[in-house]
Amino acid sequence: MTIIPTFRTVLVATAAALIGFGSASAAEEFDLSPQQSGRTHAARNEAAIAAISKGFKFATAGKFTVAVAPGGPPLAAYATDARTVVGADPDYASAVADALGLKLELVPVAWADWPLGLTSGKYDAVISNVGVTEQRKEKFDFSTYRQGLHGFFVTTKSKIASIKEPKDAAGLRIIVGAGTNQERILVKWSDEDTKAGLKPIELQYYDDDAASLLALRSERAEVIVQPHAQLVYIAARDKDIKSVGTLSAGWPDRSDVAIATRKGSGLAAALTAATNGLIQDGTYAKILDRWHLADEALQKSETNPPGLPKF
């Protein structure tokens, strides 16, 4: 495996322009307005309500208080008013609140702060692209609601048609984040390719998203691998990159994204039931379609499934 060290591009102005390019196109496909007139609402789910433990006390009576970290569209981002948090996760939280017969109270938080706030009872749940891991399961319960996927994206001019398994990536120059789960997986892929007599993967690292996209568009790299949802938004925004495959965060197994709740609080079963109700009546699919995330759909929600192991 070949590794290209991190470097900082001096074309700061060019990189900044790349980030903002095509924002009007993205606005046509993603509603980032505070009004969210297209948000899908859900029916009350009596079975899910009945599954709430009798001893569970909501942070605020009559409300489903949910923490979310606004990391960027399409999952969660500040709307055009710079105050309202919108995206797929807020839409899903709203639908779950509807199913439980509660009013949604969304609390924007920094990603690093959600575990302490959840443990202390500041909010009832976290719906913010939290992956299930065995370590997190020691302190929290989980109700799954999306697949945890990374995306393989190339320029629209690329001749690469599909990346599904290690041999498809042999010899390619792939941009990946240092220290990420996707890097760990691609290192294993490269080792498999080498053992099979194929060329190793050449991993490339850059300081930020702008530099990564610049490298891809200037053909210094052939593929970029990041969380799938982020790249879906960039592809819709800029119209010059496309998906050629996805990679489970738990490869070779599946790893899912879930609602996090306090361990043993008595809410997880109800949230799993609410999610399965949304899947069955089609509300769930409408939410994912709205944010271009149908590829991440689950067929069934589970409570505390196997998660990423401790490394």
Side-chain angles (χ1 to χ4, degrees):
M1 176 184 60
T2 305
I3 297 179
I4 304 298
T6 301
F7 71 94
R8 183 178 297 277
T9 178
V10 297
L11 300 177
V12 176
T14 302
L18 284 168
I19 291 177
F21 175 76
S23 58
S25 296
E28 294 172 2
E29 299 192 41
F30 296 93
D31 178 12
L32 300 181
S33 70
Q35 293 81 15
Q36 292 297 292
S37 58
R39 174 170 283 172
T40 301
H41 293 283
R44 184 181 172 98
N45 186 328
E46 297 298 340
I49 294 170
I52 300 172
S53 173
K54 300 302 181 184
F56 181 81
K57 292 185 178 180
F58 287 93
T60 301
K63 293 184 177 181
F64 182 40
T65 304
V66 175
V68 60
L75 295 181
Y78 284 107
T80 52
D81 66 354
R83 279 194 321 250
T84 308
V85 183
V86 300
D89 281 345
D91 273 15
Y92 173 68
S94 176
V96 171
D98 289 343
L100 297 180
L102 300 169
K103 181 179 179 180
L104 177 64
E105 182 76 22
L106 209 57
V107 182
V109 299
W111 172 262
D113 293 342
W114 73 257
L116 180 59
L118 183 57
T119 302
S120 67
K122 188 175 181 179
Y123 25 82
D124 305 310
V126 178
I127 299 180
S128 195
N129 202 43
V130 179
V132 181
T133 70
E134 290 304 308
Q135 185 169 5
R136 287 173 180 160
K137 281 167 61 179
E138 294 174 0
K139 295 184 177 181
F140 306 103
D141 286 328
F142 292 96
S143 300
T144 58
Y145 69 97
R146 279 202 339 268
Q147 292 186 61
L149 296 181
H150 305 305
F152 292 101
F153 278 65
V154 300
T155 65
T156 53
K157 298 178 182 178
S158 174
K159 295 182 180 179
I160 298 171
S162 176
I163 299 177
K164 295 182 178 179
E165 54 186 322
K167 67 180 181 63
D168 299 332
L172 296 180
R173 292 168 285 141
I174 300 181
I175 298 168
V176 68
T180 61
N181 188 48
Q182 53 265 37
E183 179 198 27
R184 177 186 62 81
I185 294 171
L186 289 177
V187 168
K188 291 183 178 180
W189 277 32
S190 188
D191 289 343
E192 286 195 16
D193 287 336
T194 301
K195 291 176 182 178
L198 301 173
K199 292 182 179 180
I201 298 170
E202 180 184 296
L203 298 183
Q204 296 187 9
Y205 304 91
Y206 296 88
D207 286 348
D208 52 42
D209 286 346
S212 296
L213 291 171
L214 182 62
L216 183 67
R217 287 161 176 154
S218 64
E219 299 183 355
R220 290 200 297 272
E222 297 165 283
V223 184
I224 186 170
V225 179
Q226 285 184 1
H228 176 255
Q230 295 175 7
L231 292 173
V232 164
Y233 179 78
I234 292 171
R237 181 191 70 189
D238 297 351
K239 308 294 186 185
D240 62 354
I241 66 171
K242 64 181 181 180
S243 172
V244 292
T246 57
L247 171 68
S248 174
W251 182 91
D253 300 315
R254 198 182 78 197
S255 178
D256 295 337
V257 170
I259 309 173
T261 52
R262 292 185 298 281
K263 190 74 177 177
S265 68
L267 189 58
L271 298 178
T272 300
T275 299
N276 281 322
L278 297 174
I279 291 172
Q280 291 163 12
D281 71 13
T283 302
Y284 173 81
K286 290 178 182 177
I287 293 170
L288 293 187
D289 285 344
R290 184 177 186 232
W291 297 100
H292 297 213
L293 295 175
D295 287 345
E296 300 188 7
L298 291 176
Q299 293 185 346
K300 178 183 177 183
S301 175
E302 297 179 273
T303 302
N304 293 329
L308 290 177
K310 296 178 182 180
F311 295 110

